[in-house]
Amino acid sequence: MTGAEVSQACKTYSLQSWSKQGNIAQLPIEKAEGIYFWDYDGNRYTDMSSQLVNNNLGFGNKAISDAIKEQVDKFCFVGPSYGAESRGKLAKKIVELMPDNIAKVFFTNAGADANENAIKIAKMFTGRNKVFSRYRSYHGSSFGAGNLTGEPRRYALEPGIPGFVKFFDPYVYREAIPFESEEAATKFYLAKLEEQIIYEGADQVAAIVMETITGSNGIIIPPKGYLPGVRALCDKYGIMMICDEVMAGWCRTGKMFAFENFGVKPDIVSFAKGVTCGYVPLGGVAVSKDIAEYFDDHVLSCGLTYSGHPLACAAGVACVNYYKEANILENVNAVGKVLGEILEGFKEKFTCVGDVRYIGLFSCVELVKDKTTKEPMVPYGKDPEGIMGKIIGMLKAKGFMTYSHENMIFVCPPLIITKEQLEEEMKKMEEVLGVVEETFL
């Protein structure tokens, strides 16, 4: 097929996520390698969002591809009630990477059903029926994960399932209160959370679910002491602490898992994306020893046809090995430091840049119309003039491929990116921000 035929076939016969279908114009991709991909006309683009913040090791990783091929030659699939070598190996590797309180893994197909099963497990284990999650969160779009989600992508699922309770993120940049320190902000947010737990009935709350670092809703990094404080509240009231590491996990933040940055041990961890880098879909739920032991004598009422799919687990084993063997964390921290310096320069230089937030290679630029009032470039949940789309289009024209959400532009490149490659791409973003400054303020 030609590139035009690929685009037309996709538009005619395939529905695209989160889009009005009438004016879709998909970019057809012919080949890809490393951090780059090419269209059918030979134009090169740089993947500065790791696709959907999942393609951590870039395109064409031979170790992962070879592992998939090797598993194909053995067998592609057996059901989850049969033993598969790749499943056992990957589960063991994941448990060994987790804190010492984690004992077992339940494999899923992706991040949404990982979160679905995480909350089911918490409810079964505690016998409670309420689940707390945050407004600025995305945990998936299936019915349970969609009710767990706090941002506007949950609206299509409402009226929702009873028992899902929302609370506010520690979003210090947009808080009306001018805190004197991060610790002061933490004290405020934890006090409000505990008050809400009490008002909802603490003995009815099964879990508090958080993206360890909020992803597509703004790379919101918790202030000092916040996550240990949530851990303490969970311990106080017998609530399960669930960290959603679907986007932030697998070396993205400069640690294997984001919660390691804050010195906490969750009861349950959901993961997906970077465990295979999208080469084959896979997700999972890692649970504590107490939870694992509970299900020795109680039925685990969770099941999926493709739980622990052998091909996916083979990809996962190779992927997890590669993170270590290629010293990916070392690169993330070295290149992430350069990224942070560049972003801080943007914040100082451009009046349209209200804030920048970054940790490792997980970052965003928050655009504003007024730096003093912090008026966002587009209203929450709306973009009536298509401003953010136009900005992303300007980046695309320069070969800088990423996405926006609300008034944020995301910079989350593959973890294999070099300092030189990063600097080359960020010059493109600097040029576009200059145009934004002239055009939209």
Side-chain angles (χ1 to χ4, degrees), residues 139-297:
H139 299 285
S141 60
S142 54
F143 208 66
N147 275 264
L148 200 60
T149 291
E151 47 111 311
R153 283 179 281 188
R154 81 175 194 274
Y155 296 165
L157 299 167
E158 293 180 333
I161 303 169
F164 285 86
V165 180
K166 299 293 180 292
F167 65 104
F168 283 101
D169 308 66
Y171 192 4
V172 177
Y173 173 69
R174 290 218 164 269
E175 187 56 66
I177 301 168
F179 297 113
E180 62 184 21
S181 65
E182 287 191 36
E183 291 82 356
T186 289
K187 183 178 180 181
F188 169 79
Y189 288 115
L190 290 176
K192 299 306 292 183
L193 177 57
E194 183 169 21
E195 182 180 27
Q196 197 170 354
I197 290 169
I198 292 168
Y199 273 60
E200 287 290 339
D203 60 353
Q204 298 298 309
V205 181
I208 296 176
V209 184
M210 299 167 293
E211 291 174 276
T212 312
I213 295 169
T214 298
S216 286
N217 283 273
I219 316 295
I220 300 171
I221 302 168
K224 291 177 183 177
Y226 179 80
L227 282 179
V230 175
R231 174 73 272 179
L233 287 176
C234 288
D235 291 340
K236 180 177 180 179
Y237 294 110
I239 298 167
M240 297 295 99
M241 182 179 184
I242 301 178
C243 283
D244 177 344
E245 293 270 335
V246 170
M247 189 175 280
W250 304 111
C251 302
R252 175 58 58 184
T253 67
K255 300 283 187 181
M256 184 60 71
F257 298 103
F259 56 75
E260 295 177 50
N261 292 285
F262 308 101
V264 296
K265 297 179 181 181
D267 299 296
I268 300 174
V269 180
S270 60
F271 63 87
K273 291 188 184 285
V275 70
T276 65
C277 295
Y279 282 50
V280 184
L282 182 69
V285 184
V287 302
S288 69
K289 293 175 182 177
D290 289 344
I291 295 172
E293 289 173 2
Y294 173 83
F295 287 109
D296 285 342
D297 300 311

Side-chain angles (χ1 to χ4, degrees), residues 55-68:
N55 196 20
N56 288 3
L57 296 177
F59 300 100
N61 184 285
K62 192 172 186 302
I64 303 174
S65 299
D66 286 348
I68 294 168

Side-chain angles (χ1 to χ4, degrees), residues 50-121:
S50 303
Q51 295 299 293
L52 297 176
V53 196
N54 68 314
N55 196 20
N56 288 3
L57 296 177
F59 300 100
N61 184 285
K62 192 172 186 302
I64 303 174
S65 299
D66 286 348
I68 294 168
K69 292 172 186 175
E70 183 180 341
Q71 183 62 50
V72 168
D73 289 339
K74 293 179 180 178
F75 54 85
C76 289
F77 174 74
V78 292
S81 61
Y82 295 92
E85 181 181 350
S86 61
R87 186 188 305 135
K89 280 185 175 180
L90 182 57
K92 183 174 185 288
K93 285 182 180 292
I94 291 170
V95 169
E96 289 173 348
L97 289 171
M98 290 281 174
D100 58 10
N101 67 313
I102 298 295
K104 287 188 177 182
V105 176
F106 176 75
F107 285 113
T108 66
N109 300 314
D113 55 347
N115 286 320
E116 294 262 2
N117 284 281
I119 57 179
K120 281 177 67 177
I121 288 169

Side-chain angles (χ1 to χ4, degrees), residues 134-437:
R134 301 192 292 210
Y135 278 108
R136 279 189 174 268
S137 69
Y138 181 74
H139 299 285
S141 60
S142 54
F143 208 66
N147 275 264
L148 200 60
T149 291
E151 47 111 311
R153 283 179 281 188
R154 81 175 194 274
Y155 296 165
L157 299 167
E158 293 180 333
I161 303 169
F164 285 86
V165 180
K166 299 293 180 292
F167 65 104
F168 283 101
D169 308 66
Y171 192 4
V172 177
Y173 173 69
R174 290 218 164 269
E175 187 56 66
I177 301 168
F179 297 113
E180 62 184 21
S181 65
E182 287 191 36
E183 291 82 356
T186 289
K187 183 178 180 181
F188 169 79
Y189 288 115
L190 290 176
K192 299 306 292 183
L193 177 57
E194 183 169 21
E195 182 180 27
Q196 197 170 354
I197 290 169
I198 292 168
Y199 273 60
E200 287 290 339
D203 60 353
Q204 298 298 309
V205 181
I208 296 176
V209 184
M210 299 167 293
E211 291 174 276
T212 312
I213 295 169
T214 298
S216 286
N217 283 273
I219 316 295
I220 300 171
I221 302 168
K224 291 177 183 177
Y226 179 80
L227 282 179
V230 175
R231 174 73 272 179
L233 287 176
C234 288
D235 291 340
K236 180 177 180 179
Y237 294 110
I239 298 167
M240 297 295 99
M241 182 179 184
I242 301 178
C243 283
D244 177 344
E245 293 270 335
V246 170
M247 189 175 280
W250 304 111
C251 302
R252 175 58 58 184
T253 67
K255 300 283 187 181
M256 184 60 71
F257 298 103
F259 56 75
E260 295 177 50
N261 292 285
F262 308 101
V264 296
K265 297 179 181 181
D267 299 296
I268 300 174
V269 180
S270 60
F271 63 87
K273 291 188 184 285
V275 70
T276 65
C277 295
Y279 282 50
V280 184
L282 182 69
V285 184
V287 302
S288 69
K289 293 175 182 177
D290 289 344
I291 295 172
E293 289 173 2
Y294 173 83
F295 287 109
D296 285 342
D297 300 311
H298 297 81
V299 173
L300 175 65
S301 188
C302 301
L304 298 158
T305 299
Y306 300 119
S307 176
H309 194 291
L311 279 182
C313 289
V317 170
C319 188
V320 173
N321 285 342
Y322 194 90
Y323 283 129
K324 289 192 168 186
E325 293 165 1
N327 297 316
I328 294 299
L329 281 173
E330 182 180 332
N331 190 64
V332 170
N333 286 301
V335 181
K337 182 180 179 182
V338 176
L339 174 60
E341 292 169 354
I342 293 171
L343 292 174
E344 289 291 349
F346 290 174
K347 183 178 178 180
E348 183 176 344
K349 179 177 181 178
F350 296 108
T351 57
C352 65
V353 176
D355 196 23
V356 293
R357 294 180 290 276
Y358 50 88
I359 181 169
L361 289 172
F362 201 31
S363 74
C364 78
V365 176
E366 179 160 354
L367 299 180
V368 295
K369 287 187 174 181
D370 188 305
K371 208 158 190 167
T372 303
T373 65
K374 302 180 183 178
E375 180 188 356
M377 185 65 69
V378 296
Y380 180 75
K382 301 175 183 178
D383 188 0
E385 299 175 17
I387 291 174
M388 295 305 295
K390 292 173 184 175
I391 295 170
I392 295 300
M394 286 189 276
L395 288 166
K396 178 182 175 181
K398 294 179 178 292
F400 185 115
M401 301 300 282
T402 188
Y403 70 97
S404 66
H405 189 70
E406 302 298 342
N407 59 321
M408 266 81 68
I409 299 174
F410 292 84
V411 183
C412 308
L415 308 184
I416 59 172
I417 194 170
T418 66
K419 173 178 176 288
E420 292 74 23
Q421 288 172 327
L422 178 76
E423 290 173 338
E424 178 184 358
E425 297 306 317
M426 295 308 286
K427 286 178 183 176
K428 299 174 185 177
M429 176 172 264
E430 184 173 12
E431 292 169 3
V432 168
L433 289 174
V435 177
V436 170
E437 195 105 306

